[in-house]
């Protein structure tokens, strides 16, 4: 094992390694080196970046956790806590950032959903003759203190699991509840579940770690013996704060917990804290090593927007973000920043498009790479349901025919074996003046004859109407042009951007040359118009209108609800 070293332009202490559940997920889109750096909480950028501000709370579960703390640990009445939530704009009198009105509404509903989930859990325990559980406010932390630093330079390893914690009166059972914004997340990786159970089983009660320090175990003399006892059994429970759903992910004794941790979690943790390979991604926004990272392409001015009056915390943005903001700033903040989505199903046209994309991505990822055959895809609702898509009979048939049409325009047709192909490849560049990571995820990126092709695929019932230019109708094409022009991917003189449109009985491909000055100029104008309003916005005010009808955040937007109610009365 090679020694792990401080990345360039960082400073701090690498002897503390702290891993939580997000690190162990090993998302292929994350930067491996970035994850490893963030597991060292005492490492920071050198020199420190200038102070920055964010006008609104960006952690959706933060206000909910504070409200539940006050209900469960301080035993305050729920109605008083909710009054305090709204009266303090979500700050509860401390110095945290205020909360957007939409998040206040969501949090109010989430408190009710949480209470329902807890009551159902307690009822099940009583019905089964098992001990009920009570909330505890101390953190559970597994701490491995070494006599001297190891090959990674670490002397203390801390393993944590963020969530709500409960224990039985005698301490023989511990529960760790893992929160999701929507429904209960039951498909968590085996390694994540094993790591969570291990922390619940073997974690020491600790106080919250102060900035720049490790967790401090709480003296057993300060806690009830049940809080310090080693449990005989642990349960890991997933709960959906959006609907109150819950699911037991693990209900294990000590032996099973040790075995699952050894087989699933330990190897994953060893990998994530050791890796040094760099892959620029959206997580670069949180990386303290960004200043010295030469793998992240610098593209100053790619957004073409002026710097905001007040410096903002580093953030990411995609064309989807910019379009959401253009439709309604509140919708952008609630759905793209806070990731709040209503359980309303998407339109069938959108679901059909996602189904076709999923099928094509699977075909293009095959090894060795080969063009798609002239064969239809799944053609029945049952066949699509097996792939996780709910389509009706007509949509199923249309999706199948669109897949068949794609074979005529498949970008892998005639591609030499030594060319590279990347499906849904995330491109990340750094607009340093705006301190913003700009993200693009073309459906397909592949090389061809010394150039690079960025292709977007769309499904449509009919050809586009009107004379609106392609770059304005589909701004992601404009961003692809700017990324090629900035040298972020490929040689623009030998590359191109493609738009593939699939219909039920036809298909077409439109090609865009990123080396033409007027094309670059048009692309820059499109992105600048979108980015300018986004960059300067600090209020995210709702903009009621036609977009309210299919807004994923409508349930928590009072202006939007009022608008839709008025429209229904008129209709």
């Amino acid at each position: 094992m090679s020694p792990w070293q401080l990345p360039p332009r960082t400073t701090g202490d690498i002897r503390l390694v702290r891993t939580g559940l997000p690190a162990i997920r090993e998302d292929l889109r994350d930067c491996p080196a970035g994850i490893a750096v963030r597991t060292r909480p005492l490492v920071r950028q050198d020199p420190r970046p200038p102070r920055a501000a964010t006008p609104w709370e960006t952690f959706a579960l933060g206000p909910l956790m504070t409200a539940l703390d006050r209900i469960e640990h301080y035993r305050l009445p729920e109605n008083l806590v909710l009054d305090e939530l709204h009266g303090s704009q979500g700050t509860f009198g401390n110095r945290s950032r205020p909360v957007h009105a939409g998040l206040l509404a969501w949090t109010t509903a989430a408190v009710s959903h949480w209470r329902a989930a807890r009551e159902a859990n307690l009822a099940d325990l009583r019905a089964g003759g098992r001990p009920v559980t009570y909330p505890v406010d101390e953190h559970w932390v597994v701490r491995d203190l070494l006599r001297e630093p190891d090959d990674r330079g670490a002397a203390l390893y801390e393993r944590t699991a963020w969530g709500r914690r409960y224990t039985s009166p005698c301490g023989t059972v511990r529960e760790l509840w893992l929160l999701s914004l929507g429904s209960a997340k039951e498909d968590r990786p085996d390694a994540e579940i094993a790591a969570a159970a291990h922390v619940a089983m073997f974690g020491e009660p600790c106080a919250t770690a102060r900035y720049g320090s490790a967790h401090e175990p709480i003296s057993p003399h300060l806690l009830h013996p049940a809080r310090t006892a080693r449990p005989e059994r642990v349960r890991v429970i997933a709960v959906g704060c959006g609907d109150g759903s819950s699911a037991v992910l693990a209900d294990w004794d000590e032996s099973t917990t040790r075995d699952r941790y050894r087989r699933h979690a330990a190897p994953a943790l060893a990998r994530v804290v050791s890796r040094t390979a760099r892959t620029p991604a959206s997580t670069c926004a949180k990386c303290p090593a960004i200043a010295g990272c030469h793998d992240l392409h610098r593209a100053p001015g790619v957004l073409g927007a002026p710097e905001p009056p007040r410096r903002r915390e580093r953030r990411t943005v995609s064309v989807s973000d910019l379009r959401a903001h253009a439709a309604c700033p509140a919708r952008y903040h609630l759905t793209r920043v806070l990731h709040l989505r209503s359980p309303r199903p998407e339109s069938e046209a959108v679901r059909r498009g996602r189904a076709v994309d999923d099928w094509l991505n699977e075909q293009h990822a095959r090894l060795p790479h080969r063009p798609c055959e002239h064969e239809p895809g799944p053609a029945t609702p049952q066949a699509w349901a097996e792939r996780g898509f709910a389509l009706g009979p007509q949509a199923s048939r249309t999706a199948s025919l669109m897949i068949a049409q794609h074979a005529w325009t498949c970008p892998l047709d005639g591609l030499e074996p030594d060319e590279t192909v990347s499906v849904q490849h995330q491109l990340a560049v750094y607009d340093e003046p705006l301190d913003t990571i700009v993200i693009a995820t073309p459906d397909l990126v592949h090389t061809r004859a010394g150039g690079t092709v960025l292709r977007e695929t769309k499904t449509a019932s009919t050809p586009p109407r009107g004379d609106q230019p392609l770059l304005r109708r589909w701004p992601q094409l404009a961003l692809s042009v700017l990324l090629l022009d900035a040298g972020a991917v490929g040689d623009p003189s030998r590359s191109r951007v493609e738009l593939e449109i699939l219909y039920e009985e036809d298909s077409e491909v439109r090609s865009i040359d990123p080396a033409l000055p007027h094309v670059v100029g048009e692309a820059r104008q499109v992105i600048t118009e979108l980015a300018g309003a986004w960059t300067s916005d600090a209020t995210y005010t709702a903009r009621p209108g036609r977009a309210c009808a299919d807004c994923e955040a409508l349930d928590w937007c009072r202006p939007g609800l009022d608008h839709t109610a008025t429209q229904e009365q008129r209709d």
Side-chain angles (χ1 to χ4, degrees), residues 459-484:
T459 58
S461 300
T462 58
R465 297 178 181 177
D467 57 355
Q468 188 179 32
L470 289 182
L471 300 186
R472 192 165 292 279
R473 184 183 294 273
W474 289 288
Q476 57 265 53
L477 303 176
L479 182 57
S480 292
V481 168
L482 296 183
L483 294 181
L484 285 165

PDB file of all heavy atoms in Angstrom, residues 459-484:
ATOM      1  N   THR A 459     -36.778  11.669 -27.814  1.00  0.00           N
ATOM      2  CA  THR A 459     -37.928  10.994 -28.405  1.00  0.00           C
ATOM      3  C   THR A 459     -39.031  12.021 -28.598  1.00  0.00           C
ATOM      4  O   THR A 459     -39.194  12.941 -27.785  1.00  0.00           O
ATOM      5  CB  THR A 459     -38.428   9.859 -27.504  1.00  0.00           C
ATOM      6  OG1 THR A 459     -38.773  10.385 -26.221  1.00  0.00           O
ATOM      7  CG2 THR A 459     -37.351   8.791 -27.333  1.00  0.00           C
ATOM      8  N   ALA A 460     -39.795  11.870 -29.675  1.00  0.00           N
ATOM      9  CA  ALA A 460     -40.846  12.835 -29.967  1.00  0.00           C
ATOM     10  C   ALA A 460     -41.955  12.171 -30.768  1.00  0.00           C
ATOM     11  O   ALA A 460     -41.714  11.231 -31.531  1.00  0.00           O
ATOM     12  CB  ALA A 460     -40.282  14.023 -30.743  1.00  0.00           C
ATOM     13  N   SER A 461     -43.168  12.666 -30.574  1.00  0.00           N
ATOM     14  CA  SER A 461     -44.301  12.149 -31.340  1.00  0.00           C
ATOM     15  C   SER A 461     -44.320  12.745 -32.737  1.00  0.00           C
ATOM     16  O   SER A 461     -44.685  12.073 -33.710  1.00  0.00           O
ATOM     17  CB  SER A 461     -45.615  12.475 -30.614  1.00  0.00           C
ATOM     18  OG  SER A 461     -45.635  11.896 -29.336  1.00  0.00           O
ATOM     19  N   THR A 462     -43.917  14.020 -32.841  1.00  0.00           N
ATOM     20  CA  THR A 462     -43.894  14.706 -34.136  1.00  0.00           C
ATOM     21  C   THR A 462     -42.625  15.541 -34.234  1.00  0.00           C
ATOM     22  O   THR A 462     -42.013  15.873 -33.205  1.00  0.00           O
ATOM     23  CB  THR A 462     -45.116  15.626 -34.286  1.00  0.00           C
ATOM     24  OG1 THR A 462     -45.116  16.588 -33.203  1.00  0.00           O
ATOM     25  CG2 THR A 462     -46.409  14.828 -34.247  1.00  0.00           C
ATOM     26  N   PRO A 463     -42.191  15.918 -35.443  1.00  0.00           N
ATOM     27  CA  PRO A 463     -41.011  16.764 -35.599  1.00  0.00           C
ATOM     28  C   PRO A 463     -41.215  18.117 -34.922  1.00  0.00           C
ATOM     29  O   PRO A 463     -42.355  18.582 -34.764  1.00  0.00           O
ATOM     30  CB  PRO A 463     -40.875  16.917 -37.121  1.00  0.00           C
ATOM     31  CG  PRO A 463     -41.590  15.729 -37.678  1.00  0.00           C
ATOM     32  CD  PRO A 463     -42.718  15.459 -36.740  1.00  0.00           C
ATOM     33  N   PRO A 464     -40.126  18.759 -34.474  1.00  0.00           N
ATOM     34  CA  PRO A 464     -40.241  20.079 -33.825  1.00  0.00           C
ATOM     35  C   PRO A 464     -40.920  21.088 -34.740  1.00  0.00           C
ATOM     36  O   PRO A 464     -40.668  21.128 -35.939  1.00  0.00           O
ATOM     37  CB  PRO A 464     -38.780  20.466 -33.559  1.00  0.00           C
ATOM     38  CG  PRO A 464     -38.035  19.180 -33.563  1.00  0.00           C
ATOM     39  CD  PRO A 464     -38.736  18.296 -34.539  1.00  0.00           C
ATOM     40  N   ARG A 465     -41.807  21.868 -34.171  1.00  0.00           N
ATOM     41  CA  ARG A 465     -42.514  22.886 -34.943  1.00  0.00           C
ATOM     42  C   ARG A 465     -41.819  24.228 -34.807  1.00  0.00           C
ATOM     43  O   ARG A 465     -41.097  24.485 -33.857  1.00  0.00           O
ATOM     44  CB  ARG A 465     -43.960  22.994 -34.459  1.00  0.00           C
ATOM     45  CG  ARG A 465     -44.774  21.712 -34.653  1.00  0.00           C
ATOM     46  CD  ARG A 465     -46.171  21.883 -34.107  1.00  0.00           C
ATOM     47  NE  ARG A 465     -46.965  20.664 -34.267  1.00  0.00           N
ATOM     48  CZ  ARG A 465     -48.214  20.527 -33.826  1.00  0.00           C
ATOM     49  NH1 ARG A 465     -48.804  21.542 -33.204  1.00  0.00           N
ATOM     50  NH2 ARG A 465     -48.857  19.389 -34.019  1.00  0.00           N
ATOM     51  N   GLY A 466     -42.103  25.098 -35.758  1.00  0.00           N
ATOM     52  CA  GLY A 466     -41.551  26.437 -35.708  1.00  0.00           C
ATOM     53  C   GLY A 466     -40.121  26.486 -36.205  1.00  0.00           C
ATOM     54  O   GLY A 466     -39.548  25.481 -36.640  1.00  0.00           O
ATOM     55  N   ASP A 467     -39.559  27.673 -36.136  1.00  0.00           N
ATOM     56  CA  ASP A 467     -38.202  27.871 -36.647  1.00  0.00           C
ATOM     57  C   ASP A 467     -37.213  28.176 -35.529  1.00  0.00           C
ATOM     58  O   ASP A 467     -36.177  28.793 -35.760  1.00  0.00           O
ATOM     59  CB  ASP A 467     -38.196  29.019 -37.671  1.00  0.00           C
ATOM     60  CG  ASP A 467     -38.745  30.318 -37.080  1.00  0.00           C
ATOM     61  OD1 ASP A 467     -39.220  30.296 -35.922  1.00  0.00           O
ATOM     62  OD2 ASP A 467     -38.705  31.345 -37.780  1.00  0.00           O
ATOM     63  N   GLN A 468     -37.513  27.758 -34.290  1.00  0.00           N
ATOM     64  CA  GLN A 468     -36.593  28.003 -33.175  1.00  0.00           C
ATOM     65  C   GLN A 468     -35.305  27.235 -33.401  1.00  0.00           C
ATOM     66  O   GLN A 468     -35.329  26.035 -33.676  1.00  0.00           O
ATOM     67  CB  GLN A 468     -37.235  27.580 -31.852  1.00  0.00           C
ATOM     68  CG  GLN A 468     -36.409  27.979 -30.630  1.00  0.00           C
ATOM     69  CD  GLN A 468     -37.081  27.574 -29.334  1.00  0.00           C
ATOM     70  OE1 GLN A 468     -37.781  26.568 -29.283  1.00  0.00           O
ATOM     71  NE2 GLN A 468     -36.885  28.350 -28.279  1.00  0.00           N
ATOM     72  N   PRO A 469     -34.161  27.900 -33.319  1.00  0.00           N
ATOM     73  CA  PRO A 469     -32.875  27.227 -33.548  1.00  0.00           C
ATOM     74  C   PRO A 469     -32.666  26.050 -32.577  1.00  0.00           C
ATOM     75  O   PRO A 469     -33.169  26.051 -31.449  1.00  0.00           O
ATOM     76  CB  PRO A 469     -31.843  28.334 -33.306  1.00  0.00           C
ATOM     77  CG  PRO A 469     -32.601  29.611 -33.481  1.00  0.00           C
ATOM     78  CD  PRO A 469     -33.991  29.322 -33.004  1.00  0.00           C
ATOM     79  N   LEU A 470     -31.908  25.064 -33.037  1.00  0.00           N
ATOM     80  CA  LEU A 470     -31.672  23.874 -32.221  1.00  0.00           C
ATOM     81  C   LEU A 470     -31.051  24.219 -30.878  1.00  0.00           C
ATOM     82  O   LEU A 470     -31.430  23.673 -29.842  1.00  0.00           O
ATOM     83  CB  LEU A 470     -30.749  22.905 -32.972  1.00  0.00           C
ATOM     84  CG  LEU A 470     -31.306  22.162 -34.183  1.00  0.00           C
ATOM     85  CD1 LEU A 470     -30.243  21.230 -34.741  1.00  0.00           C
ATOM     86  CD2 LEU A 470     -32.547  21.384 -33.804  1.00  0.00           C
ATOM     87  N   LEU A 471     -30.060  25.114 -30.874  1.00  0.00           N
ATOM     88  CA  LEU A 471     -29.339  25.414 -29.641  1.00  0.00           C
ATOM     89  C   LEU A 471     -30.238  26.094 -28.615  1.00  0.00           C
ATOM     90  O   LEU A 471     -30.020  25.958 -27.406  1.00  0.00           O
ATOM     91  CB  LEU A 471     -28.124  26.284 -29.930  1.00  0.00           C
ATOM     92  CG  LEU A 471     -27.074  25.706 -30.884  1.00  0.00           C
ATOM     93  CD1 LEU A 471     -25.858  26.627 -30.941  1.00  0.00           C
ATOM     94  CD2 LEU A 471     -26.650  24.309 -30.451  1.00  0.00           C
ATOM     95  N   ARG A 472     -31.228  26.809 -29.076  1.00  0.00           N
ATOM     96  CA  ARG A 472     -32.141  27.466 -28.146  1.00  0.00           C
ATOM     97  C   ARG A 472     -33.230  26.509 -27.678  1.00  0.00           C
ATOM     98  O   ARG A 472     -33.657  26.550 -26.522  1.00  0.00           O
ATOM     99  CB  ARG A 472     -32.753  28.710 -28.800  1.00  0.00           C
ATOM    100  CG  ARG A 472     -33.487  29.619 -27.835  1.00  0.00           C
ATOM    101  CD  ARG A 472     -33.734  30.976 -28.457  1.00  0.00           C
ATOM    102  NE  ARG A 472     -32.498  31.710 -28.645  1.00  0.00           N
ATOM    103  CZ  ARG A 472     -31.868  32.398 -27.695  1.00  0.00           C
ATOM    104  NH1 ARG A 472     -32.366  32.429 -26.465  1.00  0.00           N
ATOM    105  NH2 ARG A 472     -30.753  33.048 -27.959  1.00  0.00           N
ATOM    106  N   ARG A 473     -33.674  25.633 -28.567  1.00  0.00           N
ATOM    107  CA  ARG A 473     -34.690  24.656 -28.188  1.00  0.00           C
ATOM    108  C   ARG A 473     -34.117  23.633 -27.208  1.00  0.00           C
ATOM    109  O   ARG A 473     -34.783  23.201 -26.273  1.00  0.00           O
ATOM    110  CB  ARG A 473     -35.231  23.950 -29.429  1.00  0.00           C
ATOM    111  CG  ARG A 473     -36.376  22.981 -29.140  1.00  0.00           C
ATOM    112  CD  ARG A 473     -36.814  22.273 -30.410  1.00  0.00           C
ATOM    113  NE  ARG A 473     -37.393  23.163 -31.374  1.00  0.00           N
ATOM    114  CZ  ARG A 473     -38.683  23.511 -31.416  1.00  0.00           C
ATOM    115  NH1 ARG A 473     -39.509  23.019 -30.520  1.00  0.00           N
ATOM    116  NH2 ARG A 473     -39.124  24.336 -32.336  1.00  0.00           N
ATOM    117  N   TRP A 474     -32.871  23.218 -27.447  1.00  0.00           N
ATOM    118  CA  TRP A 474     -32.208  22.245 -26.574  1.00  0.00           C
ATOM    119  C   TRP A 474     -30.881  22.844 -26.093  1.00  0.00           C
ATOM    120  O   TRP A 474     -29.825  22.619 -26.691  1.00  0.00           O
ATOM    121  CB  TRP A 474     -31.963  20.934 -27.318  1.00  0.00           C
ATOM    122  CG  TRP A 474     -33.222  20.161 -27.570  1.00  0.00           C
ATOM    123  CD1 TRP A 474     -33.974  19.483 -26.659  1.00  0.00           C
ATOM    124  CD2 TRP A 474     -33.884  19.976 -28.830  1.00  0.00           C
ATOM    125  NE1 TRP A 474     -35.051  18.887 -27.262  1.00  0.00           N
ATOM    126  CE2 TRP A 474     -35.026  19.159 -28.599  1.00  0.00           C
ATOM    127  CE3 TRP A 474     -33.616  20.401 -30.143  1.00  0.00           C
ATOM    128  CZ2 TRP A 474     -35.900  18.796 -29.604  1.00  0.00           C
ATOM    129  CZ3 TRP A 474     -34.503  20.027 -31.156  1.00  0.00           C
ATOM    130  CH2 TRP A 474     -35.625  19.237 -30.882  1.00  0.00           C
ATOM    131  N   PRO A 475     -30.899  23.616 -25.002  1.00  0.00           N
ATOM    132  CA  PRO A 475     -29.684  24.305 -24.539  1.00  0.00           C
ATOM    133  C   PRO A 475     -28.533  23.372 -24.178  1.00  0.00           C
ATOM    134  O   PRO A 475     -27.380  23.815 -24.151  1.00  0.00           O
ATOM    135  CB  PRO A 475     -30.169  25.084 -23.307  1.00  0.00           C
ATOM    136  CG  PRO A 475     -31.638  25.232 -23.500  1.00  0.00           C
ATOM    137  CD  PRO A 475     -32.069  23.982 -24.203  1.00  0.00           C
ATOM    138  N   GLN A 476     -28.816  22.102 -23.897  1.00  0.00           N
ATOM    139  CA  GLN A 476     -27.714  21.193 -23.604  1.00  0.00           C
ATOM    140  C   GLN A 476     -26.790  21.035 -24.805  1.00  0.00           C
ATOM    141  O   GLN A 476     -25.592  20.783 -24.653  1.00  0.00           O
ATOM    142  CB  GLN A 476     -28.227  19.827 -23.125  1.00  0.00           C
ATOM    143  CG  GLN A 476     -29.147  19.123 -24.074  1.00  0.00           C
ATOM    144  CD  GLN A 476     -30.601  19.399 -23.750  1.00  0.00           C
ATOM    145  OE1 GLN A 476     -31.009  20.552 -23.633  1.00  0.00           O
ATOM    146  NE2 GLN A 476     -31.374  18.337 -23.597  1.00  0.00           N
ATOM    147  N   LEU A 477     -27.334  21.217 -26.015  1.00  0.00           N
ATOM    148  CA  LEU A 477     -26.492  21.214 -27.212  1.00  0.00           C
ATOM    149  C   LEU A 477     -25.568  22.423 -27.201  1.00  0.00           C
ATOM    150  O   LEU A 477     -24.395  22.336 -27.580  1.00  0.00           O
ATOM    151  CB  LEU A 477     -27.354  21.220 -28.471  1.00  0.00           C
ATOM    152  CG  LEU A 477     -28.360  20.079 -28.630  1.00  0.00           C
ATOM    153  CD1 LEU A 477     -29.209  20.295 -29.877  1.00  0.00           C
ATOM    154  CD2 LEU A 477     -27.643  18.740 -28.702  1.00  0.00           C
ATOM    155  N   ALA A 478     -26.092  23.550 -26.749  1.00  0.00           N
ATOM    156  CA  ALA A 478     -25.277  24.768 -26.675  1.00  0.00           C
ATOM    157  C   ALA A 478     -24.139  24.599 -25.686  1.00  0.00           C
ATOM    158  O   ALA A 478     -22.995  25.002 -25.959  1.00  0.00           O
ATOM    159  CB  ALA A 478     -26.158  25.956 -26.280  1.00  0.00           C
ATOM    160  N   LEU A 479     -24.413  23.989 -24.541  1.00  0.00           N
ATOM    161  CA  LEU A 479     -23.345  23.780 -23.564  1.00  0.00           C
ATOM    162  C   LEU A 479     -22.302  22.812 -24.110  1.00  0.00           C
ATOM    163  O   LEU A 479     -21.094  23.001 -23.890  1.00  0.00           O
ATOM    164  CB  LEU A 479     -23.920  23.260 -22.256  1.00  0.00           C
ATOM    165  CG  LEU A 479     -22.904  23.040 -21.133  1.00  0.00           C
ATOM    166  CD1 LEU A 479     -22.129  24.323 -20.827  1.00  0.00           C
ATOM    167  CD2 LEU A 479     -23.586  22.522 -19.864  1.00  0.00           C
ATOM    168  N   SER A 480     -22.728  21.786 -24.829  1.00  0.00           N
ATOM    169  CA  SER A 480     -21.766  20.859 -25.437  1.00  0.00           C
ATOM    170  C   SER A 480     -20.842  21.590 -26.391  1.00  0.00           C
ATOM    171  O   SER A 480     -19.637  21.332 -26.439  1.00  0.00           O
ATOM    172  CB  SER A 480     -22.506  19.734 -26.159  1.00  0.00           C
ATOM    173  OG  SER A 480     -23.179  18.896 -25.247  1.00  0.00           O
ATOM    174  N   VAL A 481     -21.393  22.508 -27.164  1.00  0.00           N
ATOM    175  CA  VAL A 481     -20.576  23.311 -28.076  1.00  0.00           C
ATOM    176  C   VAL A 481     -19.540  24.109 -27.299  1.00  0.00           C
ATOM    177  O   VAL A 481     -18.351  24.160 -27.668  1.00  0.00           O
ATOM    178  CB  VAL A 481     -21.470  24.254 -28.912  1.00  0.00           C
ATOM    179  CG1 VAL A 481     -20.623  25.301 -29.639  1.00  0.00           C
ATOM    180  CG2 VAL A 481     -22.299  23.460 -29.917  1.00  0.00           C
ATOM    181  N   LEU A 482     -19.954  24.727 -26.190  1.00  0.00           N
ATOM    182  CA  LEU A 482     -19.032  25.549 -25.409  1.00  0.00           C
ATOM    183  C   LEU A 482     -17.955  24.702 -24.731  1.00  0.00           C
ATOM    184  O   LEU A 482     -16.800  25.143 -24.603  1.00  0.00           O
ATOM    185  CB  LEU A 482     -19.800  26.351 -24.364  1.00  0.00           C
ATOM    186  CG  LEU A 482     -20.786  27.392 -24.908  1.00  0.00           C
ATOM    187  CD1 LEU A 482     -21.429  28.164 -23.771  1.00  0.00           C
ATOM    188  CD2 LEU A 482     -20.089  28.356 -25.871  1.00  0.00           C
ATOM    189  N   LEU A 483     -18.298  23.500 -24.318  1.00  0.00           N
ATOM    190  CA  LEU A 483     -17.296  22.630 -23.708  1.00  0.00           C
ATOM    191  C   LEU A 483     -16.251  22.208 -24.730  1.00  0.00           C
ATOM    192  O   LEU A 483     -15.054  22.147 -24.424  1.00  0.00           O
ATOM    193  CB  LEU A 483     -17.966  21.399 -23.092  1.00  0.00           C
ATOM    194  CG  LEU A 483     -18.899  21.657 -21.902  1.00  0.00           C
ATOM    195  CD1 LEU A 483     -19.459  20.355 -21.376  1.00  0.00           C
ATOM    196  CD2 LEU A 483     -18.171  22.405 -20.796  1.00  0.00           C
ATOM    197  N   LEU A 484     -16.683  21.912 -25.937  1.00  0.00           N
ATOM    198  CA  LEU A 484     -15.723  21.589 -26.999  1.00  0.00           C
ATOM    199  C   LEU A 484     -14.879  22.802 -27.343  1.00  0.00           C
ATOM    200  O   LEU A 484     -13.660  22.712 -27.512  1.00  0.00           O
ATOM    201  CB  LEU A 484     -16.464  21.083 -28.236  1.00  0.00           C
ATOM    202  CG  LEU A 484     -17.008  19.650 -28.148  1.00  0.00           C
ATOM    203  CD1 LEU A 484     -18.017  19.396 -29.248  1.00  0.00           C
ATOM    204  CD2 LEU A 484     -15.852  18.645 -28.251  1.00  0.00           C
TER     205      LEU A 484
END
